[in-house]
């Protein structure tokens, strides 16, 4: 079940197209997996479009529109939340890791040709860089069962979307579809569940700052075992 969502402010920014492109990628992919946020964004987009139309007609002043937008927005976010099941992507490209196939959410499929080779890091951890343009660093990260990312903090923002499986980080437990926004004030140690591996997509502003011992061990043969499918 999806428990962690972008803030309402982020969703409004996404609907208005004013949040940073990298954040927009993750919010969009989260909406692929979360019906609740998808429906909020749709409503926000419709309201904004309608109000802009009213403004263009000159029938309402900017002040009235701002007030109406605020009221409508309050009404949307105060609705009792329906907690839908994470929807499963039924079409699109897959990522093959650890003998398993994972569907990539539609919003991330355009990057499937930009996924680099998988590298084996310490602690049952695999990473494949993804070129998304700009200076941000994006990666698919796969934690094998019980695998963990060494304790680290962040320089700038780290945004993570859980694509499949679950992990805990000593603060919360995250499941498929969860959207996690962290910054330099957070230190955590993600650990995958013991019964299944966990695939996440993560975008960071700056490389992680590891606060416990960290050695990166590249397996030069990893690309022979891990690949991205380009088939639908
Ligand atoms: Zn959501």
């Amino acid at each position: 079940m999806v428990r962690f969502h972008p803030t309402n402010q982020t969703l409004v920014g996404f609907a208005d197209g004013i949040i940073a492109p990298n954040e927009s990628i993750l919010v969009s992919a989260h909406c692929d997996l979360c019906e609740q946020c998808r429906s909020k964004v749709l409503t926000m987009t419709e309201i904004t479009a309608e109000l802009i139309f009213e403004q263009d007609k000159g029938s309402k002043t900017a002040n009235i529109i701002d007030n109406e937008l605020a009221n409508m927005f309050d009404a949307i976010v105060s609705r009792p939340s329906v907690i839908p099941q994470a929807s499963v992507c039924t079409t699109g490209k897959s990522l093959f890791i650890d003998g398993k196939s994972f569907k990539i959410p539609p919003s991330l499929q355009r990057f499937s040709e930009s996924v680099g080779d998988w590298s084996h890091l310490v602690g049952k951890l695999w990473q494949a860089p993804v070129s998304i343009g700009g200076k941000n660093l994006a990666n698919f990260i796969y934690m094998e069962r019980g695998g963990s990312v060494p304790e680290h903090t962040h320089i700038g923002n780290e945004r993570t979307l859980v694509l499949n499986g679950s992990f805990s980080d000593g603060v919360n437990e995250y499941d498929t579809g969860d959207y996690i926004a962290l910054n330099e004030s957070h230190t955590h140690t993600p650990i995958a569940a013991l019964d299944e591996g966990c695939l996440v997509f993560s975008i960071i502003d700056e490389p992680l700052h590891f606060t416990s011992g960290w050695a990166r061990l590249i397996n030069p043969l990893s690309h022979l075992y891990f690949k991205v499918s380009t088939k639908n």
Side-chain angles (χ1 to χ4, degrees), residues 84-113:
Q85 298 273 336
S87 57
V88 178
C89 307
T90 51
T91 59
K93 296 169 181 176
S94 301
L95 211 53
F96 293 99
I97 311 167
D98 206 12
K100 293 179 219 107
S101 147
F102 299 98
K103 293 285 183 199
I104 304 176
S107 300
L108 298 182
Q109 287 172 16
R110 65 192 157 118
F111 301 113
S112 61
E113 307 290 335

Tab-separated table of all heavy atoms in Angstrom, residues 84-113:
chain	number	residue	atom	x	y	z
A	84	PRO	N	-6.082	3.558	-2.393
A	84	PRO	CA	-6.152	2.517	-3.418
A	84	PRO	C	-4.926	1.614	-3.387
A	84	PRO	O	-3.902	1.976	-2.822
A	84	PRO	CB	-6.184	3.319	-4.703
A	84	PRO	CG	-5.523	4.601	-4.370
A	84	PRO	CD	-5.560	4.811	-2.890
A	85	GLN	N	-5.069	0.494	-3.961
A	85	GLN	CA	-3.912	-0.402	-4.131
A	85	GLN	C	-2.982	0.250	-5.140
A	85	GLN	O	-3.428	0.957	-6.023
A	85	GLN	CB	-4.388	-1.720	-4.749
A	85	GLN	CG	-5.361	-2.478	-3.888
A	85	GLN	CD	-4.645	-3.369	-2.927
A	85	GLN	OE1	-3.512	-3.745	-3.170
A	85	GLN	NE2	-5.269	-3.700	-1.832
A	86	ALA	N	-1.699	0.008	-4.990
A	86	ALA	CA	-0.769	0.495	-6.013
A	86	ALA	C	-1.135	-0.199	-7.308
A	86	ALA	O	-1.322	-1.409	-7.327
A	86	ALA	CB	0.650	0.144	-5.630
A	87	SER	N	-1.318	0.586	-8.355
A	87	SER	CA	-1.661	-0.071	-9.608
A	87	SER	C	-0.409	-0.685	-10.202
A	87	SER	O	0.689	-0.218	-9.959
A	87	SER	CB	-2.284	0.936	-10.569
A	87	SER	OG	-1.398	1.992	-10.766
A	88	VAL	N	-0.607	-1.711	-10.933
A	88	VAL	CA	0.541	-2.393	-11.512
A	88	VAL	C	0.634	-2.005	-12.976
A	88	VAL	O	-0.366	-1.962	-13.663
A	88	VAL	CB	0.345	-3.925	-11.392
A	88	VAL	CG1	1.511	-4.648	-12.029
A	88	VAL	CG2	0.182	-4.300	-9.941
A	89	CYS	N	1.830	-1.646	-13.411
A	89	CYS	CA	1.992	-1.291	-14.815
A	89	CYS	C	1.817	-2.561	-15.624
A	89	CYS	O	2.468	-3.554	-15.361
A	89	CYS	CB	3.387	-0.748	-15.090
A	89	CYS	SG	3.811	0.586	-14.013
A	90	THR	N	0.954	-2.527	-16.581
A	90	THR	CA	0.724	-3.735	-17.354
A	90	THR	C	1.395	-3.690	-18.716
A	90	THR	O	1.449	-4.665	-19.417
A	90	THR	CB	-0.783	-3.970	-17.556
A	90	THR	OG1	-1.332	-2.765	-18.052
A	90	THR	CG2	-1.461	-4.351	-16.260
A	91	THR	N	1.837	-2.499	-19.088
A	91	THR	CA	2.517	-2.420	-20.376
A	91	THR	C	3.879	-1.780	-20.168
A	91	THR	O	4.165	-1.254	-19.116
A	91	THR	CB	1.750	-1.527	-21.356
A	91	THR	OG1	1.646	-0.241	-20.763
A	91	THR	CG2	0.375	-2.066	-21.654
A	92	GLY	N	4.658	-1.810	-21.189
A	92	GLY	CA	5.905	-1.071	-21.129
A	92	GLY	C	7.109	-1.934	-20.897
A	92	GLY	O	7.046	-3.146	-20.903
A	93	LYS	N	8.203	-1.249	-20.687
A	93	LYS	CA	9.483	-1.914	-20.653
A	93	LYS	C	9.793	-2.473	-19.278
A	93	LYS	O	9.280	-2.005	-18.277
A	93	LYS	CB	10.534	-0.930	-21.107
A	93	LYS	CG	10.277	-0.532	-22.553
A	93	LYS	CD	11.105	0.618	-23.006
A	93	LYS	CE	10.736	0.935	-24.459
A	93	LYS	NZ	11.421	2.092	-24.974
A	94	SER	N	10.666	-3.432	-19.278
A	94	SER	CA	10.995	-4.098	-18.025
A	94	SER	C	12.481	-4.019	-17.762
A	94	SER	O	13.294	-3.864	-18.669
A	94	SER	CB	10.592	-5.567	-18.085
A	94	SER	OG	9.228	-5.676	-18.337
A	95	LEU	N	12.795	-4.176	-16.510
A	95	LEU	CA	14.175	-4.203	-16.070
A	95	LEU	C	14.388	-5.612	-15.526
A	95	LEU	O	13.548	-6.112	-14.775
A	95	LEU	CB	14.281	-3.190	-14.931
A	95	LEU	CG	15.529	-2.413	-14.645
A	95	LEU	CD1	16.029	-1.698	-15.872
A	95	LEU	CD2	15.225	-1.393	-13.552
A	96	PHE	N	15.461	-6.260	-15.948
A	96	PHE	CA	15.706	-7.620	-15.465
A	96	PHE	C	16.860	-7.601	-14.471
A	96	PHE	O	17.971	-7.194	-14.809
A	96	PHE	CB	16.048	-8.547	-16.633
A	96	PHE	CG	14.877	-8.755	-17.548
A	96	PHE	CD1	14.771	-8.039	-18.728
A	96	PHE	CD2	13.862	-9.633	-17.209
A	96	PHE	CE1	13.683	-8.197	-19.566
A	96	PHE	CE2	12.772	-9.809	-18.038
A	96	PHE	CZ	12.675	-9.085	-19.225
A	97	ILE	N	16.589	-7.996	-13.277
A	97	ILE	CA	17.608	-8.003	-12.233
A	97	ILE	C	17.417	-9.249	-11.387
A	97	ILE	O	16.278	-9.591	-11.059
A	97	ILE	CB	17.448	-6.793	-11.275
A	97	ILE	CG1	17.309	-5.499	-12.062
A	97	ILE	CG2	18.614	-6.683	-10.321
A	97	ILE	CD1	16.837	-4.356	-11.216
A	98	ASP	N	18.508	-9.890	-11.038
A	98	ASP	CA	18.443	-10.953	-10.044
A	98	ASP	C	17.466	-12.046	-10.471
A	98	ASP	O	16.755	-12.615	-9.646
A	98	ASP	CB	17.952	-10.308	-8.715
A	98	ASP	CG	18.441	-11.093	-7.510
A	98	ASP	OD1	19.312	-11.954	-7.687
A	98	ASP	OD2	17.932	-10.841	-6.402
A	99	GLY	N	17.393	-12.295	-11.777
A	99	GLY	CA	16.492	-13.340	-12.274
A	99	GLY	C	15.038	-12.936	-12.278
A	99	GLY	O	14.155	-13.750	-12.535
A	100	LYS	N	14.748	-11.676	-11.966
A	100	LYS	CA	13.351	-11.229	-11.943
A	100	LYS	C	13.167	-10.091	-12.940
A	100	LYS	O	14.116	-9.409	-13.305
A	100	LYS	CB	12.973	-10.721	-10.552
A	100	LYS	CG	12.952	-11.802	-9.512
A	100	LYS	CD	12.588	-11.214	-8.158
A	100	LYS	CE	13.404	-11.861	-7.083
A	100	LYS	NZ	14.440	-11.127	-6.469
A	101	SER	N	11.912	-9.913	-13.333
A	101	SER	CA	11.616	-8.836	-14.265
A	101	SER	C	10.738	-7.800	-13.555
A	101	SER	O	9.788	-8.159	-12.848
A	101	SER	CB	10.922	-9.464	-15.467
A	101	SER	OG	10.003	-8.608	-16.013
A	102	PHE	N	11.077	-6.535	-13.691
A	102	PHE	CA	10.316	-5.474	-13.048
A	102	PHE	C	9.806	-4.516	-14.117
A	102	PHE	O	10.570	-4.063	-14.968
A	102	PHE	CB	11.207	-4.679	-12.077
A	102	PHE	CG	11.764	-5.512	-10.965
A	102	PHE	CD1	13.055	-6.026	-11.045
A	102	PHE	CD2	11.003	-5.788	-9.835
A	102	PHE	CE1	13.578	-6.792	-10.020
A	102	PHE	CE2	11.527	-6.558	-8.805
A	102	PHE	CZ	12.816	-7.058	-8.902
A	103	LYS	N	8.530	-4.204	-14.066
A	103	LYS	CA	7.959	-3.236	-15.010
A	103	LYS	C	8.408	-1.835	-14.622
A	103	LYS	O	8.398	-1.478	-13.456
A	103	LYS	CB	6.427	-3.276	-14.958
A	103	LYS	CG	5.836	-4.570	-15.463
A	103	LYS	CD	5.910	-4.652	-16.967
A	103	LYS	CE	5.244	-5.923	-17.476
A	103	LYS	NZ	5.677	-6.257	-18.835
A	104	ILE	N	8.794	-1.054	-15.613
A	104	ILE	CA	9.168	0.332	-15.361
A	104	ILE	C	7.914	1.191	-15.528
A	104	ILE	O	7.211	1.053	-16.527
A	104	ILE	CB	10.244	0.801	-16.374
A	104	ILE	CG1	11.459	-0.125	-16.320
A	104	ILE	CG2	10.669	2.230	-16.088
A	104	ILE	CD1	12.511	0.208	-17.361
A	105	PRO	N	7.608	2.079	-14.566
A	105	PRO	CA	6.421	2.938	-14.735
A	105	PRO	C	6.529	3.742	-16.027
A	105	PRO	O	7.633	4.129	-16.434
A	105	PRO	CB	6.485	3.885	-13.521
A	105	PRO	CG	7.352	3.214	-12.528
A	105	PRO	CD	8.320	2.373	-13.322
A	106	PRO	N	5.398	3.990	-16.692
A	106	PRO	CA	5.418	4.680	-17.985
A	106	PRO	C	6.251	5.960	-17.981
A	106	PRO	O	6.971	6.237	-18.944
A	106	PRO	CB	3.934	4.986	-18.234
A	106	PRO	CG	3.216	3.901	-17.495
A	106	PRO	CD	4.041	3.573	-16.287
A	107	SER	N	6.194	6.730	-16.897
A	107	SER	CA	6.937	8.011	-16.873
A	107	SER	C	8.446	7.828	-16.899
A	107	SER	O	9.176	8.758	-17.195
A	107	SER	CB	6.577	8.819	-15.631
A	107	SER	OG	5.221	9.093	-15.620
A	108	LEU	N	8.915	6.631	-16.549
A	108	LEU	CA	10.364	6.401	-16.550
A	108	LEU	C	10.825	5.657	-17.793
A	108	LEU	O	12.017	5.505	-18.035
A	108	LEU	CB	10.786	5.601	-15.303
A	108	LEU	CG	10.530	6.261	-13.945
A	108	LEU	CD1	11.033	5.376	-12.809
A	108	LEU	CD2	11.223	7.621	-13.880
A	109	GLN	N	9.853	5.201	-18.594
A	109	GLN	CA	10.239	4.378	-19.744
A	109	GLN	C	11.075	5.137	-20.775
A	109	GLN	O	11.907	4.568	-21.449
A	109	GLN	CB	8.991	3.791	-20.409
A	109	GLN	CG	8.390	2.687	-19.568
A	109	GLN	CD	7.058	2.225	-20.089
A	109	GLN	OE1	6.704	2.500	-21.229
A	109	GLN	NE2	6.316	1.513	-19.253
A	110	ARG	N	10.867	6.457	-20.830
A	110	ARG	CA	11.634	7.214	-21.831
A	110	ARG	C	13.118	7.231	-21.493
A	110	ARG	O	13.940	7.607	-22.311
A	110	ARG	CB	11.096	8.624	-21.983
A	110	ARG	CG	11.237	9.494	-20.744
A	110	ARG	CD	10.409	10.763	-20.919
A	110	ARG	NE	10.063	11.337	-19.646
A	110	ARG	CZ	10.457	12.547	-19.254
A	110	ARG	NH1	11.214	13.274	-20.038
A	110	ARG	NH2	10.092	13.015	-18.087
A	111	PHE	N	13.461	6.831	-20.259
A	111	PHE	CA	14.884	6.790	-19.897
A	111	PHE	C	15.474	5.392	-20.040
A	111	PHE	O	16.633	5.167	-19.721
A	111	PHE	CB	15.082	7.255	-18.446
A	111	PHE	CG	14.575	8.650	-18.209
A	111	PHE	CD1	13.482	8.877	-17.399
A	111	PHE	CD2	15.186	9.740	-18.826
A	111	PHE	CE1	13.005	10.166	-17.194
A	111	PHE	CE2	14.725	11.028	-18.625
A	111	PHE	CZ	13.627	11.241	-17.807
A	112	SER	N	14.658	4.449	-20.505
A	112	SER	CA	15.141	3.066	-20.500
A	112	SER	C	16.340	2.860	-21.427
A	112	SER	O	17.128	1.948	-21.220
A	112	SER	CB	14.010	2.088	-20.834
A	112	SER	OG	13.528	2.368	-22.108
A	113	GLU	N	16.481	3.740	-22.421
A	113	GLU	CA	17.653	3.633	-23.303
A	113	GLU	C	18.867	4.311	-22.668
A	113	GLU	O	19.967	4.232	-23.198
A	113	GLU	CB	17.370	4.322	-24.653
A	113	GLU	CG	16.108	3.876	-25.369
A	113	GLU	CD	16.210	2.468	-25.916
A	113	GLU	OE1	17.341	2.041	-26.167
A	113	GLU	OE2	15.169	1.808	-26.065
